[in-house]
Amino acid sequence: MFVDNVKITIESGGGGHGHISFRREKYVPNGGPDGGDGGRGGNVIFEACTSINTLVDFRYKKTFRAEKGVNGGGSKCTGKNGEDLILKVPVGTLIRYSWETDEQNNPVGLVMADMKTPGEQRILAKGGRGGRGNQHFATPSRQAPKFSEDGKPGKSYQVTLELKLIADVGIIGFPNAGKSTLLSRVTKANPKIANYQFTTLSPNLGVVRHDQGRDFVLADIPGLIEGASQGIGLGFDFLRHIERTRTMIHVVDAARIEGDDLTPVQAVEKINAELAAYNPILLNRPQIIAANKADLPLDEDYMAELEAFAKARGWPIYKISAATNQGLTELIRGISDLLETLPEAEDFETNYETYFEPERTGEAITVEKIKEGRFSVEGPGIERLLGYTNMADERGFAFFQRFLREKGIIARLEALGIEENDTVQLYELEFDYWK
């Protein structure tokens, strides 16, 4: 089963909590705190893999979670780190943040990663940091801290996986023009071949082994008929797979044996109109015209018109017969020579914004007056402090108050006009101000 677009949720593991304990051994006075740290949560890692070419593994299972870190223990024992979760995806998979789609149901979320390189690994959800045990909070004036730090929660994202096959050449054309037959003749691919519309229901890949060692990858793109851009037939769901091709082979039924009224030139123009409706940039890619079924009687006037049409656009044209192998050697040699002169295809989305998790910079603490009688204090230092300070403990609360004064937070609140009985909000915590 070919699956090239799925929506999943990924979640990294939360960090383990720090431990609160004290060393108590016979004949060992003043053992002190020895609570160990919690382990780091597991990361969610994506890996580009050449051995798979579909996203079917993500079709039924929708949520993927990495392992949590283990809590710390006594005797300064650190908890075990959570196992990383490695998700293998086909080369060419685009990973987008969010499940948003446009009117044609195409993903539009910001890009987190583009898995173009075989074996490439990307950490997209970092595991939470493990909390520190109470051994880290001992000071000369606080020799028995009864608090530790909680582990940080993991990150959770809803992401869309969108596969764009990596191929050098895309084969386009009307159904029954001979695209699948051509692919089967020049590669070891075995696409389904029959005399009815939409024989090919998913893209097929094949590798052409050139006699001079210049191998390249072909992709047969199904579903192109007039009106595909309006959803007729298979629509243009599979056109994303030629976005990264460097050139296209436009297979034309030169013998016109399918009984339609289109001339070869009209057939090319109809397909190119659908490409333009999908994305006009596709028309900037060079095309090679493969006039197929040349073993049958051809209308010389139509062929002359097709040759003039191709020449005016600088496109090479080859008369071939995929059924009898006529002209295939020349076609493959021409494609190989053309690829030698072409750069790597530019992705349509070279200007897309890249999603990234904002990194905390510095230790900035924000002190604001929300409204009359109410103030807020936020910042990385405050958040960490609340994570490991036991407010129910008298010494812990005294430590908290001293921190606010030493960091100048109390002075900043007073500068904003705080008065007794006003409320100060620190994330989920609230307290009344008294001098």
Side-chain angles (χ1 to χ4, degrees):
M1 179 184 295
F2 184 82
V3 179
D4 61 356
N5 194 307
V6 293
K7 299 174 182 178
I8 64 172
T9 299
I10 58 174
E11 185 178 329
S12 61
H17 301 322
H19 189 68
I20 302 173
S21 65
F22 298 89
R23 183 181 179 187
R24 293 184 177 91
E25 293 183 39
K26 195 174 183 179
Y27 308 121
V28 181
N30 304 322
D34 67 351
D37 301 341
R40 173 188 60 81
N43 301 318
V44 178
I45 303 173
F46 283 85
E47 179 180 343
C49 186
T50 57
S51 62
I52 53 178
N53 57 13
T54 176
L55 297 170
V56 68
D57 291 341
F58 303 93
R59 179 165 184 172
Y60 301 108
K61 183 178 179 181
K62 295 298 185 180
T63 303
F64 297 84
R65 294 186 177 92
E67 191 177 54
K68 294 181 178 179
V70 177
N71 296 338
S75 301
K76 300 183 179 180
C77 291
T78 300
K80 179 184 176 183
N81 290 337
E83 291 288 336
D84 292 337
L85 176 62
I86 299 178
L87 301 177
K88 295 186 177 182
V89 296
V91 175
T93 299
L94 204 64
I95 304 171
R96 296 180 184 272
Y97 173 70
S98 87
W99 292 356
E100 299 175 15
T101 57
D102 60 16
E103 295 178 356
Q104 285 78 36
N105 202 35
N106 295 315
V108 295
L110 303 183
V111 173
M112 299 180 78
D114 192 354
M115 310 299 290
K116 290 182 179 180
T117 307
E120 175 186 9
Q121 288 192 342
R122 294 287 296 275
I123 299 176
L124 293 194
K126 291 185 177 181
R129 180 173 57 84
R132 292 176 292 175
N134 68 334
Q135 61 171 310
H136 296 281
F137 302 103
T139 66
S141 60
R142 186 179 62 244
Q143 298 183 7
K146 295 181 180 179
F147 54 87
S148 62
E149 188 176 39
D150 289 344
K152 296 298 180 182
K155 302 291 184 181
S156 179
Y157 304 111
Q158 291 180 323
V159 300
T160 299
L161 307 185
E162 180 186 359
L163 175 59
K164 296 181 181 182
L165 295 176
I166 303 295
D168 299 296
V169 184
I171 307 177
I172 60 174
F174 274 103
N176 290 332
K179 303 191 299 296
S180 296
T181 304
L182 172 61
L183 182 70
S184 68
R185 293 294 186 177
V186 299
T187 74
K188 291 185 178 181
N190 294 302
K192 185 177 181 180
I193 300 171
N195 188 29
Y196 54 88
Q197 274 199 332
F198 306 128
T199 306
T200 305
L201 299 177
S202 64
N204 290 303
L205 285 177
V207 179
V208 177
R209 302 294 183 187
H210 194 267
D211 54 7
Q212 298 181 4
R214 297 180 294 179
D215 300 343
F216 57 88
V217 179
L218 279 176
D220 172 16
I221 310 300
L224 272 181
I225 62 172
E226 185 178 2
S229 57
Q230 282 76 48
I232 297 176
L234 299 180
F236 52 35
D237 286 345
F238 297 121
L239 278 176
R240 70 170 64 92
H241 299 293
I242 58 173
E243 290 183 9
R244 288 170 171 166
T245 59
R246 297 155 65 192
T247 185
M248 289 174 278
I249 304 174
H250 203 138
V251 180
V252 184
D253 178 5
R256 303 178 67 216
I257 64 174
E258 295 304 320
D260 56 42
D261 296 327
L262 296 178
T263 67
V265 169
Q266 290 172 338
V268 173
E269 289 178 330
K270 293 287 186 183
I271 293 296
N272 283 345
E274 297 306 319
L275 297 182
Y278 177 76
N279 195 314
I281 296 178
L282 278 175
L283 296 184
N284 296 330
R285 305 279 167 85
Q287 294 187 21
I288 296 173
I289 303 297
N292 193 25
K293 306 179 184 179
D295 56 317
L296 302 175
L298 304 179
D299 187 306
E300 294 301 325
D301 291 337
Y302 288 144
M303 279 305 304
E305 182 186 20
L306 181 62
E307 289 171 351
F309 176 85
K311 183 178 180 181
R313 288 155 180 76
W315 297 345
I317 182 170
Y318 296 88
K319 292 182 181 180
I320 68 167
S321 171
T324 65
N325 291 337
Q326 176 185 333
L328 296 189
T329 300
E330 292 76 12
L331 174 63
I332 295 305
R333 185 178 297 118
I335 296 171
S336 182
D337 290 342
L338 178 61
L339 290 175
E340 289 289 309
T341 67
L342 296 177
E344 292 295 323
E346 293 185 7
D347 200 306
F348 290 162
E349 300 184 86
T350 51
N351 294 321
Y352 53 47
E353 296 180 79
T354 301
Y355 177 84
F356 63 94
E357 186 71 18
E359 296 290 339
R360 289 172 172 167
T361 57
E363 293 295 322
I365 295 176
T366 303
V367 181
E368 295 179 341
K369 183 176 182 178
I370 302 175
K371 61 182 181 179
E372 194 64 35
R374 192 171 188 86
F375 299 78
S376 73
V377 179
E378 294 183 351
I382 293 293
E383 195 173 2
R384 284 199 300 272
L385 178 71
L386 296 177
Y388 62 73
T389 302
N390 182 3
M391 295 295 183
D393 181 77
E394 182 178 347
R395 285 176 294 181
F397 188 70
F399 170 74
F400 171 73
Q401 289 180 304
R402 188 164 58 252
F403 175 89
L404 296 182
R405 292 197 177 278
E406 290 176 353
K407 294 296 183 180
I409 296 171
I410 297 297
R412 291 167 66 181
L413 287 169
E414 291 174 346
L416 290 173
I418 194 170
E419 297 180 357
E420 288 192 1
N421 233 8
D422 285 351
T423 300
V424 180
Q425 179 178 328
L426 297 92
Y427 296 97
E428 302 300 323
L429 176 69
E430 293 184 355
F431 68 88
D432 294 332
Y433 173 77
W434 294 92
K435 292 186 180 178

